[in-house]
Amino acid sequence: MKTLIQTRRGRTRWAAPCLALVLAACGGGDGSRSTASADAGPGAKALSTKATPQATTAPAYNYAEALQKSILFYEAQQSGKKPEWNRVSWRGDSRLTDGSDVGLDLTGGWYDAGDHVKFGFPAAWTATQLAWGALEFEAGHKDAGQYDALLRNLRWINDYFIKAHPSANVLYGQVGNGSTDHSWWGPVEVYPKAAPAYKIDATCGGSDLAGETAAAMAAASMVFKTSDPAYSATLLTHAKQLYTLADSKRQKYVECITDAQGYYNSWSGFFDELAWGAIWLYRATDDASYLAKAESFVTTGAGGFGSEGQTSYLPYKWTQDWDSKHYGSYLLLARLTGKQKYKDAIERNLAYWTTGTPEGERVTYTPGGLAWLSQWGSLRYALNESFIAMVYAKDVADATKQQRYRDFAMQQLNYALGSNPRNSSYLIGFGANSPQHPHHRTAHGSWADSQTLPANHRHVLYGALVGGPGANDGYTDSISDYVSNEVAIDYNASIVGVLAGAQQLFPGSVPLANFPQVEVASEDEFFVEAGINSAGTTYTEVKAVVNNRSGWPAKVTDKLSLRYYVDLSEVFAAGRTAADIKVSSNYSDGGVARGLVRCGSSNLFYAVGDFSGTKVYPGGQSAYKKEIQIRIAAPDSTSFWNPSNDPSYAGLASNGSAPVKVTGITLYDEGRKVWGTEPTACGGVAVPVPATPTGLSATAGIGSISLSWSAATNATGYTVKRSTTGTAGSFALLASPTGTSYVDSGLAGSTRYYYTVSARNDSGESAASDVVSASTPAGPPAAPAPTAAAGDGRVTLSWSAVTGAASYEVSRASSATGSYTSLASGLTALSYVDTGLTNGTAYFYKVGARNTAGVSLSDPVSATPVAPGGGSSACTLTLDTTNDWGSGQVFRLLLSNAGTTPITNWGVSFTESNSITVSNSWSGTFVATGNKVSFTPQSWNATVAAGGSTDAGMQLSYSGTKPMPSAVVMTGASCQVLIK
């Protein structure tokens, strides 16, 4: 991908003025607070749930159709083996090895958004919310004909949670690395990246993650209790174990799954999830100890929810979402206990969103009527609160409030479906003028790792709710605008329930019949482009490019081959034979030229361009197309060669021109024709499948293993497979050489690897050889991760010890990509001070860890020395460029104030080493003119309190080398400057 989704649903979690304050002052967090006494009140379940009355007004929209589509979206997000009931025809199997790095099957679940990471925290909240909606609005789901579809999707995600919870105290909370994933833009069926699994356990916990997953499984156990009691009991067992883990190891999950910090950081802490999980377990079990535990957390004191700002109220200025479970907790506790304090808390929250609090506080409304809480996913917040309002309206006795809450929910829902200043739906594939360009890789279907190819999405992502408009109702339907136009599983979590509620309130809508239709490929998925590369009196040389632009669904293949057809009538007329015609190749991207093969008894023959063993897939410029140059030549000094009668010659691009699509060259995948027109006479003559290779041997060296084997009869190439266990089924394709040797490089040290080799030709592939193995010796140590701190004329480098390192060395350069000069070697200490430096000049450093096998160098770090008075150790300004993908970057600017006085009216300017273009920014304004950049914070973070910090950033694009900042000037304060 060329845009990162970092901070997507994270840093904007709390209202902007809260970002510079401690979480305890923003209605969340897990810091120390004073304990408030619990209110006395009726016992559990004292307040009964009222039935939802049906309205007589005709529905404003077809809510059943919208519900049908909003549930279908979850099937587009499925990971793993595609189930038979999945209705999204352009999706296929994906990521079938998830969990293999930890010896588990972690396939299944949902991809989070437009990316391909499985984030467990928002997925669990989504599952809880969908189950809650199934319980509250079962009648609406059934009336719309969508209840069974919802239950299938709920079972799918809960089956994944069962896999992710392999033992009582272990929960895998993320599969896939955020920054790795976001460096590539393509369909997930051909995902080329590693997807590591991350866990919490009894040693490194995650009360928020485990508590929310417990809530999800407890809620689902209630949904399945009647239809599948055994499954319900299984879910409840997992929920209880997870809650015990959550409560016994109290810790934020991002402390252990650190990669989630930039995406789904648990800003509110974990007490809300501990309360929330206990509430659902109480509902599922009737065990009063869970209710007592839940109530113990709903306080403004220590170990509880905290308060809203400096008030004495429980938090009320946000809404239920993947991070904050406060508001659902108030609602359900009010229902379960009848206590006034919970009713007061939920009604203050609803007042903030509707008519305003008694103090006049009210959420922002757009001119068009959207309750607008935050830019990032503005619609999902409005729909989350609509769900709360619609559910609480069932409980409240006051008819005026009941109507107010339902009116609010329906107004927000109808805004999303089209009742807005644009008269446009924000639910893809529903209503008028719905989004066409969501920020979603697989729906876009790029074969070139590009957001601009194709120009339009190949697939309709039915039912996905996009992020939504800005505070002025403005919206641009752009694939690059991931703030307004991304989709996510949590975005859809509440609109599903609200639509089911609307179906109950305004019956009469019906779902679409025969929906969805199977998508038919709208363009060629496999084809050949070709042109004359060179020609002479005795030969024709053709450049042929095989293309895999598959997308219905996308697929990886390593068995493509093409056929170029020639008519040898003039050869025979000259008294020659086919054996006189030679087929060769001077250039290939992994293919082999062979032939000629006769078409029956005719004068037609074909040359083969065989890419067997070479992966071709829609994953980038070098992945989706492979070239081969095939030369078909008569003997020198002859004059009979004439290509004009060759069936594949017609339509070729002329010499020097770009190759063009030609149907006269046929393309095959695993022997099945996928492109082109075969001449009538051509059937081909197959050669026998080659024999199994023998004599395979493996010789290990540092970081590599050399393989060799004996040639196999009839083989035109070989397939090498590798395993780290040697067990059947664990061998994966490594390479497809044409010779009888191969060097496997880039291997880890002190590791045993297992190999097999098979032989192949046009007719097929032999059985695999016997398994051989070899162990690599210990390699160089891992690279250090140094930090750089500036002082007066000096920079101090420090790093942690690296396992296996015998010594360390330090080198310096004037730019990140410049020439590095050695400063010291043979160091055993874990720090180094570089002195005699020029203040105000940025210096870049690399630290190496060395042993007898070699050295591993760190990524560059930078610091700018400051003169006395030119920078204060009490504050640090960090310019972070590490999130870079070669043509773009998410640049972060962090100001940390460790001093005793606030920093006010600050700003920053600097010079980039390369010109940049800013596409968007947050928490302030970045202005770039060429390579000169200035930053101005917003009003709410123009002051950074003592002991506080603020975090801003921008997304930029560039060409050429990676831009690095220098000549940093800060106004309003004099702080140390760190460049990463």
Side-chain angles (χ1 to χ4, degrees):
M1 145 179 177
K2 299 302 181 249
T3 58
L4 228 71
I5 315 172
Q6 188 173 13
T7 77
R8 172 178 55 221
R9 290 164 294 276
R11 288 189 189 86
T12 57
R13 158 64 188 83
W14 293 109
C18 293
L19 291 176
L21 304 176
V22 293
L23 280 173
C26 302
D30 52 351
S32 299
R33 305 181 183 96
S34 60
T35 304
S37 60
D39 290 346
K45 304 181 183 176
L47 181 63
S48 63
T49 303
K50 298 177 177 61
T52 303
Q54 292 187 342
T56 56
T57 307
Y61 294 93
N62 187 336
Y63 298 125
E65 177 195 344
L67 179 60
Q68 177 185 41
K69 291 176 176 178
S70 64
I71 293 174
L72 180 68
F73 164 69
Y74 287 100
E75 295 172 35
Q77 296 300 103
Q78 285 181 344
S79 176
K81 185 72 176 176
K82 180 182 173 181
E84 291 183 0
W85 51 266
N86 183 296
R87 298 166 290 168
V88 183
S89 59
W90 47 269
R91 279 299 324 278
D93 298 344
S94 63
R95 294 265 293 272
L96 299 181
T97 60
D98 278 5
S100 59
D101 59 319
V102 293
L104 294 173
D105 175 10
L106 296 179
T107 59
W110 292 322
Y111 299 118
D112 173 57
D115 54 4
H116 304 134
V117 184
K118 295 190 292 195
F119 289 108
F121 193 35
W125 178 78
T126 299
T128 309
Q129 196 74 356
L130 290 174
W132 191 8
L135 295 167
E136 296 286 349
F137 305 112
E138 179 179 339
H141 282 292
K142 289 181 175 178
D143 186 57
Q146 303 308 308
Y147 189 69
D148 290 343
L150 177 63
L151 263 58
R152 285 194 298 268
N153 283 281
L154 273 174
R155 185 183 288 266
W156 175 264
I157 189 61
N158 279 279
D159 284 350
Y160 172 72
F161 292 152
I162 291 172
K163 291 181 180 181
H165 184 224
S167 60
N169 291 323
V170 174
L171 175 63
Y172 282 86
Q174 183 174 325
V175 180
N177 177 276
S179 58
T180 298
D181 177 82
H182 295 164
S183 66
W184 180 76
W185 184 273
V188 72
E189 287 81 5
V190 298
Y191 194 70
K193 305 288 186 177
Y198 303 91
K199 69 177 180 178
I200 59 171
D201 55 28
T203 348
C204 198
S207 300
D208 32 24
L209 172 63
E212 182 59 73
T213 311
M217 300 183 89
S221 77
M222 296 177 66
V223 174
F224 289 102
K225 188 172 184 177
T226 301
S227 62
D228 193 340
Y231 186 59
S232 172
T234 298
L235 294 175
L236 194 53
T237 297
H238 282 276
K240 290 176 179 178
Q241 291 176 349
L242 284 166
Y243 191 81
T244 299
L245 172 62
D247 197 29
S248 58
K249 183 61 178 175
R250 293 189 176 182
Q251 191 172 6
K252 288 169 62 169
Y253 89 103
V254 292
E255 297 175 32
C256 304
I257 303 179
T258 56
D259 185 66
Q261 290 177 2
Y263 308 94
Y264 289 100
N265 189 26
S266 184
W267 301 100
S268 71
F270 51 71
F271 289 118
D272 52 331
E273 281 82 20
L274 287 174
W276 184 238
I279 290 168
W280 280 103
L281 278 163
Y282 172 63
R283 293 192 69 186
T285 65
D286 238 9
D287 182 342
S289 67
Y290 285 118
L291 180 62
K293 186 166 285 291
E295 289 196 81
S296 72
F297 298 118
V298 188
T299 72
T300 57
F305 284 11
S307 61
E308 186 66 59
Q310 303 305 313
T311 74
S312 60
Y313 297 113
L314 287 163
Y316 61 88
K317 289 186 179 180
W318 200 257
T319 188
Q320 188 84 352
D321 71 353
W322 60 264
D323 184 28
S324 174
K325 318 303 155 59
H326 306 76
Y327 311 98
S329 297
Y330 304 153
L331 191 158
L332 291 181
L333 287 174
R335 175 184 294 180
L336 296 170
T337 71
K339 292 181 180 179
Q340 191 63 41
K341 75 169 187 175
Y342 303 127
K343 296 178 187 177
D344 290 344
I346 189 60
E347 291 189 13
R348 174 169 278 273
N349 169 248
L350 284 164
Y352 178 75
W353 279 84
T354 56
T355 56
T357 67
E359 297 78 20
E361 298 171 304
R362 187 171 182 249
V363 73
T364 298
Y365 272 75
T366 69
L370 175 65
W372 195 92
L373 181 68
S374 173
Q375 175 64 59
W376 217 313
S378 57
L379 286 171
R380 55 88 183 261
Y381 290 124
L383 269 300
N384 288 355
E385 188 68 14
S386 296
F387 183 93
I388 292 290
M390 193 168 275
V391 172
Y392 190 62
K394 296 168 61 179
D395 296 350
V396 68
D398 186 316
T400 301
K401 290 181 179 178
Q402 182 184 75
Q403 191 61 47
R404 179 191 306 150
Y405 301 152
R406 287 183 179 146
D407 286 348
F408 168 81
M410 293 307 303
Q411 178 195 20
Q412 300 306 303
L413 175 63
N414 291 339
Y415 182 103
L417 298 182
S419 296
N420 53 61
R422 297 179 57 250
N423 296 312
S424 299
S425 168
Y426 289 101
L427 193 72
I428 297 174
F430 175 85
N433 191 31
S434 69
Q436 303 293 308
H437 303 282
H439 186 85
H440 192 279
R441 293 160 176 74
T442 305
H444 180 226
S446 176
W447 56 85
D449 188 14
S450 169
Q451 290 184 18
T452 60
L453 282 176
N456 296 308
H457 283 47
R458 288 172 134 186
H459 312 295
V460 179
L461 190 63
Y462 282 108
L465 181 72
V466 297
N472 62 351
D473 298 302
Y475 166 82
T476 302
D477 184 12
S478 169
I479 192 173
S480 63
D481 187 353
Y482 51 85
V483 175
S484 298
N485 223 31
E486 188 164 24
V487 299
I489 56 175
D490 76 290
Y491 284 20
N492 266 54
S494 292
I495 195 173
V496 169
V498 174
L499 284 164
Q503 184 73 8
Q504 289 182 201
L505 287 171
F506 302 94
S509 298
V510 294
L512 299 182
N514 302 315
F515 175 84
Q517 295 291 312
V518 174
E519 273 197 19
V520 178
S522 57
E523 56 199 77
D524 296 321
E525 296 186 86
F526 294 90
F527 56 91
V528 179
E529 298 170 301
I532 301 297
N533 195 57
S534 177
T537 57
T538 60
Y539 73 92
T540 302
E541 184 174 280
V542 176
K543 174 196 290 186
V545 181
V546 299
N547 281 257
N548 176 358
R549 301 187 186 183
S550 58
W552 284 269
K555 65 172 289 187
V556 178
T557 178
D558 64 351
K559 293 187 171 54
L560 287 180
S561 62
L562 62 82
R563 294 178 183 177
Y564 184 90
Y565 299 92
V566 294
D567 187 330
L568 298 189
S569 296
E570 74 274 20
V571 177
F572 298 141
R576 299 282 187 155
T577 69
D580 293 317
I581 307 302
K582 303 301 179 185
V583 175
S584 62
S585 177
N586 292 322
Y587 177 80
S588 172
D589 285 333
V592 178
R594 289 194 308 275
L596 294 168
V597 178
R598 190 167 195 169
C599 296
S601 58
S602 72
N603 290 345
L604 296 183
F605 291 70
Y606 62 82
V608 176
D610 185 5
F611 288 90
S612 294
T614 297
K615 286 185 178 180
V616 188
Y617 62 96
Q621 293 289 343
S622 62
Y624 78 84
K625 59 182 178 181
K626 300 292 180 181
E627 177 185 333
I628 188 170
Q629 297 174 8
I630 300 177
R631 177 176 286 216
I632 306 173
D636 292 342
S637 303
T638 58
S639 58
F640 55 78
W641 183 253
N642 180 12
S644 61
N645 62 344
D646 296 341
S648 295
Y649 187 78
L652 293 177
S654 59
N655 189 10
S657 300
V660 297
K661 276 187 183 179
V662 288
T663 58
I665 301 176
T666 52
L667 181 64
Y668 302 82
D669 182 22
E670 298 187 78
R672 177 180 62 89
K673 183 168 72 72
V674 293
W675 170 260
T677 304
E678 297 168 332
T680 304
C682 289
V685 179
V687 296
V689 173
T692 301
T694 59
L696 177 62
S697 64
T699 304
I702 294 176
S704 68
I705 293 177
S706 299
L707 303 171
S708 63
W709 57 92
S710 301
T713 306
N714 294 322
T716 58
Y718 299 88
T719 300
V720 180
K721 293 185 177 181
R722 182 181 70 193
S723 166
T724 54
T725 64
T727 57
S730 66
F731 287 83
L733 177 66
L734 176 63
S736 303
T738 55
T740 57
S741 63
Y742 179 76
V743 178
D744 187 13
S745 57
L747 303 178
S750 304
T751 304
R752 180 166 290 276
Y753 294 89
Y754 301 81
Y755 300 87
T756 63
V757 176
S758 55
R760 53 183 166 75
N761 62 20
D762 277 350
S763 298
E765 189 163 349
S766 74
S769 68
D770 291 337
V771 176
V772 299
S773 67
S775 292
T776 54
T787 59
D792 183 9
R794 65 176 56 206
V795 170
T796 300
L797 301 166
S798 58
W799 57 91
S800 299
V802 175
T803 302
S807 65
Y808 302 93
E809 51 203 56
V810 177
S811 56
R812 183 181 71 199
S814 57
S815 67
T817 56
S819 177
Y820 283 80
T821 303
S822 175
L823 295 180
S825 59
L827 300 173
T828 56
L830 300 179
S831 63
Y832 176 79
V833 181
D834 187 18
T835 59
L837 304 178
T838 303
N839 289 330
T841 299
Y843 294 87
F844 295 80
Y845 299 87
K846 290 184 180 181
V847 177
R850 182 180 289 277
N851 62 16
T852 55
V855 63
S856 297
L857 294 175
S858 71
D859 290 332
V861 293
S862 174
T864 304
V866 290
S872 169
S873 60
C875 60
T876 303
L877 179 70
T878 302
L879 286 70
D880 187 347
T881 71
T882 54
N883 253 327
D884 187 278
W885 51 89
S887 62
Q889 183 183 109
V890 171
F891 175 95
R892 292 179 61 198
L893 190 136
L894 301 93
L895 176 58
S896 176
N897 182 10
T900 58
T901 58
I903 296 173
T904 59
N905 299 320
W906 63 285
V908 179
S909 64
F910 54 90
T911 301
E912 292 274 27
S913 59
N914 196 5
S915 294
I916 65 168
T917 300
V918 178
S919 56
N920 57 70
S921 60
W922 64 92
S923 301
T925 302
F926 287 84
V927 177
T929 306
N931 61 347
K932 305 293 185 183
V933 183
S934 64
F935 169 76
T936 304
Q938 293 183 357
S939 58
W940 57 265
N941 63 344
T943 297
V944 180
S949 63
T950 191
D951 185 345
M954 62 176 166
Q955 183 175 323
L956 59 88
S957 58
Y958 64 88
S959 59
T961 59
K962 172 184 174 181
M964 292 294 295
S966 62
V968 180
V969 176
M970 182 177 178
T971 58
S974 183
C975 302
Q976 291 190 81
V977 176
L978 299 182
I979 299 175
K980 297 168 64 177

